[in-house]
Amino acid sequence: DLKPNEVSYNSVINACAQTGYVERAEMWLGRMLEAGVQANEVSYNSVINACAQKGRVSRAEMWLEKMLAAGVKTDAFSYNSVINACAQRRDIERAETWLEKMLSEGIQADEVSYSSVIKACVQKGELDLAGYWLERMAAAGLQANEVTYNTVAGACLAAGDKDRLERWRKLMRLEENTVLKDPPLLKPSRPSSCTTKSLDDVDQDILSDALPKRVEETRRRRPATESRKKEDGGAAVRKHRPTQVSVDRSNTWMWARLLIMLVVLQLILAVWSDYAVQSAKS
Protein backbone atom coordinates (compact mmCIF):
# COMPACT_ATOMS: atom_id res chain seq x y z
CA ASP A 1 0.00 0.00 0.00
CA LEU A 2 1.17 3.48 -0.88
CA LYS A 3 1.31 5.60 2.27
CA PRO A 4 2.31 9.26 2.77
CA ASN A 5 5.74 9.73 4.21
CA GLU A 6 7.52 12.49 6.12
CA VAL A 7 8.02 14.64 3.02
CA SER A 8 4.36 14.35 2.01
CA TYR A 9 3.05 15.43 5.40
CA ASN A 10 5.59 18.25 5.74
CA SER A 11 4.58 19.63 2.32
CA VAL A 12 0.92 19.84 3.33
CA ILE A 13 1.70 21.17 6.83
CA ASN A 14 3.97 23.87 5.46
CA ALA A 15 1.44 24.86 2.79
CA CYS A 16 -1.29 25.27 5.39
CA ALA A 17 1.02 27.17 7.74
CA GLN A 18 2.29 29.51 5.02
CA THR A 19 -1.24 30.38 3.90
CA GLY A 20 -2.47 31.05 7.43
CA TYR A 21 -4.60 27.94 7.93
CA VAL A 22 -3.29 27.22 11.41
CA GLU A 23 -5.99 24.74 12.41
CA ARG A 24 -5.37 22.63 9.30
CA ALA A 25 -1.63 22.70 9.86
CA GLU A 26 -2.20 21.44 13.40
CA MET A 27 -4.65 18.82 12.14
CA TRP A 28 -2.16 17.40 9.62
CA LEU A 29 0.64 17.32 12.18
CA GLY A 30 -1.72 15.44 14.49
CA ARG A 31 -2.57 12.97 11.73
CA MET A 32 1.10 12.57 10.95
CA LEU A 33 1.81 11.57 14.55
CA GLU A 34 -1.24 9.29 14.71
CA ALA A 35 -0.07 7.50 11.56
CA GLY A 36 3.23 6.73 13.24
CA VAL A 37 5.26 8.91 10.87
CA GLN A 38 8.19 10.53 12.66
CA ALA A 39 7.79 14.31 12.69
CA ASN A 40 10.99 16.35 12.47
CA GLU A 41 11.97 19.94 13.27
CA VAL A 42 10.42 21.17 10.01
CA SER A 43 7.06 19.68 10.95
CA TYR A 44 6.98 21.23 14.42
CA ASN A 45 8.58 24.57 13.51
CA SER A 46 6.01 25.19 10.77
CA VAL A 47 3.13 24.73 13.19
CA ILE A 48 4.80 26.60 16.07
CA ASN A 49 5.56 29.61 13.91
CA ALA A 50 2.07 29.61 12.37
CA CYS A 51 0.45 29.62 15.84
CA ALA A 52 2.82 32.35 17.03
CA GLN A 53 2.13 34.52 13.98
CA LYS A 54 -1.60 34.34 14.71
CA GLY A 55 -1.05 35.28 18.37
CA ARG A 56 -2.06 31.84 19.66
CA VAL A 57 0.68 31.69 22.24
CA SER A 58 -0.67 28.76 24.26
CA ARG A 59 -0.93 26.59 21.14
CA ALA A 60 2.62 27.51 20.09
CA GLU A 61 3.86 26.63 23.58
CA MET A 62 1.99 23.32 23.53
CA TRP A 63 3.62 22.23 20.26
CA LEU A 64 7.06 23.32 21.45
CA GLU A 65 6.56 21.24 24.60
CA LYS A 66 5.45 18.28 22.46
CA MET A 67 8.54 18.77 20.31
CA LEU A 68 10.76 18.65 23.39
CA ALA A 69 8.93 15.63 24.81
CA ALA A 70 9.34 13.75 21.52
CA GLY A 71 13.08 14.34 21.61
CA VAL A 72 13.06 16.25 18.32
CA LYS A 73 16.03 18.58 17.95
CA THR A 74 15.04 22.20 18.61
CA ASP A 75 16.83 25.28 17.36
CA ALA A 76 16.77 29.05 17.82
CA PHE A 77 13.84 29.35 15.40
CA SER A 78 11.72 27.03 17.52
CA TYR A 79 12.16 29.14 20.64
CA ASN A 80 12.25 32.56 18.97
CA SER A 81 8.76 32.08 17.55
CA VAL A 82 7.35 31.52 21.04
CA ILE A 83 9.51 34.19 22.70
CA ASN A 84 8.49 36.81 20.16
CA ALA A 85 4.80 35.88 20.45
CA CYS A 86 4.94 36.34 24.23
CA ALA A 87 6.85 39.60 23.83
CA GLN A 88 4.26 40.89 21.36
CA ARG A 89 1.67 40.39 24.11
CA ARG A 90 4.09 42.14 26.51
CA ASP A 91 4.07 39.06 28.73
CA ILE A 92 7.60 39.58 30.03
CA GLU A 93 7.64 36.68 32.49
CA ARG A 94 6.52 34.20 29.85
CA ALA A 95 9.06 35.46 27.30
CA GLU A 96 11.82 35.32 29.94
CA THR A 97 10.87 31.78 30.89
CA TRP A 98 11.30 30.50 27.35
CA LEU A 99 14.55 32.42 26.84
CA GLU A 100 15.96 30.91 30.04
CA LYS A 101 14.72 27.47 28.93
CA MET A 102 16.42 27.97 25.59
CA LEU A 103 19.73 28.85 27.22
CA SER A 104 19.46 25.97 29.71
CA GLU A 105 19.04 23.53 26.79
CA GLY A 106 22.38 24.72 25.43
CA ILE A 107 20.85 26.46 22.40
CA GLN A 108 22.66 29.64 21.40
CA ALA A 109 20.32 32.60 21.65
CA ASP A 110 20.67 35.21 18.92
CA GLU A 111 19.88 38.92 18.56
CA VAL A 112 16.20 38.16 17.93
CA SER A 113 15.90 36.18 21.17
CA TYR A 114 17.24 38.97 23.39
CA SER A 115 15.78 41.87 21.41
CA SER A 116 12.24 40.50 21.73
CA VAL A 117 12.49 40.38 25.53
CA ILE A 118 14.23 43.77 25.75
CA LYS A 119 11.56 45.43 23.62
CA ALA A 120 8.77 43.97 25.77
CA CYS A 121 10.49 45.26 28.93
CA VAL A 122 10.86 48.76 27.48
CA GLN A 123 7.26 48.86 26.31
CA LYS A 124 6.11 47.94 29.83
CA GLY A 125 8.34 50.60 31.39
CA GLU A 126 10.67 48.03 32.96
CA LEU A 127 13.93 49.85 32.16
CA ASP A 128 15.97 48.12 34.88
CA LEU A 129 14.89 44.73 33.58
CA ALA A 130 15.59 45.81 30.01
CA GLY A 131 19.10 46.83 31.13
CA TYR A 132 19.62 43.41 32.72
CA TRP A 133 18.83 41.58 29.48
CA LEU A 134 20.84 44.10 27.49
CA GLU A 135 23.88 43.28 29.59
CA ARG A 136 23.19 39.56 29.21
CA MET A 137 23.08 40.13 25.46
CA ALA A 138 26.37 42.04 25.52
CA ALA A 139 27.95 39.30 27.67
CA ALA A 140 27.04 36.80 24.94
CA GLY A 141 28.92 38.94 22.44
CA LEU A 142 25.78 39.91 20.54
CA GLN A 143 25.34 43.40 19.15
CA ALA A 144 21.89 44.97 19.21
CA ASN A 145 20.28 45.82 15.89
CA GLU A 146 18.99 49.24 14.90
CA VAL A 147 15.40 48.50 15.94
CA THR A 148 16.45 47.55 19.47
CA TYR A 149 18.74 50.56 19.71
CA ASN A 150 15.96 52.97 18.68
CA THR A 151 13.53 51.34 21.10
CA VAL A 152 15.74 51.67 24.18
CA ALA A 153 17.05 55.09 23.14
CA GLY A 154 13.51 56.42 22.84
CA ALA A 155 12.62 55.07 26.28
CA CYS A 156 15.67 56.67 27.89
CA LEU A 157 15.04 60.00 26.22
CA ALA A 158 11.38 59.91 27.27
CA ALA A 159 12.48 59.27 30.86
CA GLY A 160 15.14 62.00 30.65
CA ASP A 161 17.82 59.50 31.66
CA LYS A 162 20.81 60.48 29.53
CA ASP A 163 23.29 58.58 31.73
CA ARG A 164 21.42 55.33 31.19
CA LEU A 165 21.22 56.05 27.46
CA GLU A 166 24.97 56.54 27.20
CA ARG A 167 25.70 53.33 29.12
CA TRP A 168 23.24 51.34 27.02
CA ARG A 169 24.65 52.81 23.82
CA LYS A 170 28.10 51.49 24.75
CA LEU A 171 26.68 48.08 25.65
CA MET A 172 24.73 47.76 22.42
CA ARG A 173 27.80 48.72 20.40
CA LEU A 174 29.93 46.37 22.53
CA GLU A 175 32.17 49.31 23.43
CA GLU A 176 32.11 48.56 27.13
CA ASN A 177 32.37 45.19 28.83
CA THR A 178 30.86 45.64 32.26
CA VAL A 179 28.91 42.42 32.56
CA LEU A 180 31.69 39.94 33.22
CA LYS A 181 32.18 40.79 36.84
CA ASP A 182 32.11 39.24 40.27
CA PRO A 183 29.55 39.03 41.84
CA PRO A 184 27.53 38.08 38.77
CA LEU A 185 24.84 40.37 37.41
CA LEU A 186 21.70 40.26 39.55
CA LYS A 187 18.27 40.29 37.98
CA PRO A 188 16.16 43.23 39.26
CA SER A 189 12.86 42.52 40.94
CA ARG A 190 9.75 43.51 39.06
CA PRO A 191 6.98 45.58 40.69
CA SER A 192 3.69 43.80 41.26
CA SER A 193 1.91 46.35 39.08
CA CYS A 194 3.69 44.96 36.04
CA THR A 195 2.69 41.34 36.49
CA THR A 196 0.85 39.96 33.48
CA LYS A 197 -2.24 37.78 33.40
CA SER A 198 -2.43 34.42 31.71
CA LEU A 199 -2.85 34.51 27.96
CA ASP A 200 -5.06 31.43 27.91
CA ASP A 201 -8.19 33.56 28.31
CA VAL A 202 -7.31 35.84 25.42
CA ASP A 203 -5.42 33.49 23.14
CA GLN A 204 -7.82 34.05 20.25
CA ASP A 205 -7.13 37.76 20.17
CA ILE A 206 -4.09 39.46 18.67
CA LEU A 207 -2.62 42.32 20.70
CA SER A 208 -3.43 45.65 19.03
CA ASP A 209 -2.67 48.97 20.62
CA ALA A 210 -4.34 50.75 17.72
CA LEU A 211 -7.86 49.56 18.60
CA PRO A 212 -8.50 51.88 21.59
CA LYS A 213 -6.93 54.75 19.71
CA ARG A 214 -9.33 54.31 16.81
CA VAL A 215 -12.31 54.60 19.13
CA GLU A 216 -10.96 57.82 20.63
CA GLU A 217 -10.15 59.19 17.19
CA THR A 218 -13.70 58.46 16.05
CA ARG A 219 -15.08 60.41 19.00
CA ARG A 220 -12.76 63.33 18.31
CA ARG A 221 -13.77 63.44 14.66
CA ARG A 222 -17.50 63.62 15.35
CA PRO A 223 -17.57 67.32 16.40
CA ALA A 224 -15.54 68.27 13.32
CA THR A 225 -17.91 66.31 11.09
CA GLU A 226 -20.94 67.96 12.68
CA SER A 227 -19.46 71.44 12.18
CA ARG A 228 -18.79 70.74 8.51
CA LYS A 229 -22.31 69.41 8.20
CA LYS A 230 -23.73 72.70 9.47
CA GLU A 231 -21.48 74.74 7.20
CA ASP A 232 -22.70 72.81 4.15
CA GLY A 233 -26.33 73.52 5.01
CA GLY A 234 -27.08 70.18 6.59
CA ALA A 235 -25.36 68.04 3.99
CA ALA A 236 -23.15 65.49 5.69
CA VAL A 237 -19.61 65.19 4.47
CA ARG A 238 -19.07 61.65 3.34
CA LYS A 239 -15.69 60.11 2.90
CA HIS A 240 -14.78 57.19 0.77
CA ARG A 241 -14.98 53.99 2.77
CA PRO A 242 -12.75 51.23 1.47
CA THR A 243 -14.63 48.57 3.44
CA GLN A 244 -15.96 46.70 0.40
CA VAL A 245 -12.58 46.89 -1.33
CA SER A 246 -10.90 45.42 1.76
CA VAL A 247 -13.45 42.61 1.86
CA ASP A 248 -12.95 41.87 -1.84
CA ARG A 249 -9.19 41.76 -1.44
CA SER A 250 -9.55 39.48 1.58
CA ASN A 251 -11.78 37.10 -0.38
CA THR A 252 -9.37 37.13 -3.32
CA TRP A 253 -6.44 36.25 -1.04
CA MET A 254 -8.48 33.47 0.56
CA TRP A 255 -9.18 31.86 -2.81
CA ALA A 256 -5.53 32.27 -3.78
CA ARG A 257 -4.53 30.38 -0.64
CA LEU A 258 -6.99 27.59 -1.40
CA LEU A 259 -5.64 27.37 -4.96
CA ILE A 260 -2.06 27.05 -3.66
CA MET A 261 -3.13 24.26 -1.31
CA LEU A 262 -4.94 22.43 -4.13
CA VAL A 263 -1.89 22.66 -6.38
CA VAL A 264 0.34 21.24 -3.64
CA LEU A 265 -2.08 18.38 -2.97
CA GLN A 266 -2.32 17.61 -6.70
CA LEU A 267 1.46 17.44 -6.95
CA ILE A 268 1.60 15.04 -4.02
CA LEU A 269 -1.14 12.84 -5.53
CA ALA A 270 0.66 12.87 -8.89
CA VAL A 271 3.88 11.67 -7.26
CA TRP A 272 2.01 8.91 -5.42
CA SER A 273 0.22 7.81 -8.59
CA ASP A 274 3.46 7.71 -10.58
CA TYR A 275 5.10 5.71 -7.82
CA ALA A 276 2.19 3.26 -7.76
CA VAL A 277 2.35 2.77 -11.55
CA GLN A 278 6.08 2.15 -11.46
CA SER A 279 5.67 -0.32 -8.60
CA ALA A 280 2.94 -2.19 -10.52
CA LYS A 281 5.10 -2.45 -13.66
CA SER A 282 8.07 -3.76 -11.70
Side-chain angles (χ1 to χ4, degrees):
D1 292 338
L2 187 61
K3 295 182 180 180
N5 56 17
E6 176 185 303
V7 177
S8 308
Y9 278 110
N10 283 348
S11 298
V12 177
I13 292 172
N14 187 59
C16 295
Q18 290 293 329
T19 52
Y21 289 94
V22 183
E23 293 85 357
R24 293 187 179 183
E26 291 185 279
M27 177 194 72
W28 281 108
L29 178 53
R31 289 187 178 182
M32 181 180 186
L33 297 174
E34 290 175 359
V37 179
Q38 181 65 42
N40 59 14
E41 61 271 17
V42 176
S43 318
Y44 284 102
N45 283 345
S46 297
V47 173
I48 292 170
N49 186 58
C51 292
Q53 289 292 330
K54 288 293 186 178
R56 301 176 183 179
V57 184
S58 294
R59 302 294 298 176
E61 289 178 322
M62 181 200 74
W63 286 111
L64 180 52
E65 289 171 351
K66 284 181 175 291
M67 185 178 184
L68 292 169
V72 178
K73 182 180 179 181
T74 55
D75 53 19
F77 184 82
S78 310
Y79 284 93
N80 283 349
S81 297
V82 177
I83 293 171
N84 187 59
C86 296
Q88 288 291 330
R89 294 292 189 90
R90 300 183 186 179
D91 191 328
I92 301 174
E93 292 180 354
R94 216 162 178 172
E96 286 181 317
T97 299
W98 283 110
L99 179 51
E100 294 284 11
K101 174 70 173 176
M102 177 182 183
L103 296 172
S104 67
E105 292 290 332
I107 299 175
Q108 181 66 44
D110 56 16
E111 294 86 350
V112 176
S113 315
Y114 287 102
S115 296
S116 297
V117 176
I118 292 170
K119 183 179 180 180
C121 293
V122 170
Q123 290 177 338
K124 293 270 298 196
E126 297 279 3
L127 297 186
D128 290 339
L129 195 57
Y132 167 80
W133 284 109
L134 192 58
E135 294 199 19
R136 290 276 300 268
M137 183 178 182
L142 298 173
Q143 184 173 349
N145 55 31
E146 185 177 352
V147 175
T148 305
Y149 178 82
N150 291 336
T151 300
V152 299
C156 291
L157 291 174
D161 195 340
K162 295 183 179 180
D163 293 336
R164 189 195 297 264
L165 174 59
E166 180 61 21
R167 171 173 167 75
W168 284 9
R169 185 190 67 80
K170 292 181 179 179
L171 282 172
M172 285 186 287
R173 296 293 181 257
L174 301 180
E175 297 175 4
E176 178 181 337
N177 188 10
T178 60
V179 293
L180 300 178
K181 56 186 179 180
D182 188 23
L185 184 66
L186 297 178
K187 185 176 181 180
S189 59
R190 301 177 63 241
S192 58
S193 60
C194 291
T195 55
T196 53
K197 63 180 180 180
S198 172
L199 299 180
D200 296 331
D201 299 332
V202 293
D203 221 17
Q204 297 299 323
D205 302 324
I206 298 177
L207 179 64
S208 175
D209 294 333
L211 184 59
K213 295 178 183 178
R214 290 175 183 170
V215 175
E216 294 176 0
E217 289 174 359
T218 303
R219 293 176 180 173
R220 287 198 300 268
R221 290 174 182 171
R222 285 178 182 173
T225 304
E226 293 297 330
S227 63
R228 290 196 299 270
K229 183 177 179 181
K230 293 179 180 179
E231 293 173 359
D232 295 340
V237 179
R238 295 184 178 273
K239 294 185 177 181
H240 173 66
R241 296 181 179 179
T243 304
Q244 186 62 40
V245 176
S246 300
V247 173
D248 293 340
R249 289 176 178 174
S250 178
N251 290 335
T252 302
W253 181 233
M254 179 188 68
W255 287 111
R257 289 175 173 177
L258 288 174
L259 181 60
I260 293 173
M261 292 181 61
L262 288 174
V263 170
V264 172
L265 290 175
Q266 287 175 354
L267 289 173
I268 294 174
L269 291 174
V271 172
W272 288 348
S273 300
D274 185 65
Y275 178 79
V277 171
Q278 296 295 330
S279 300
K281 289 181 178 181
S282 60

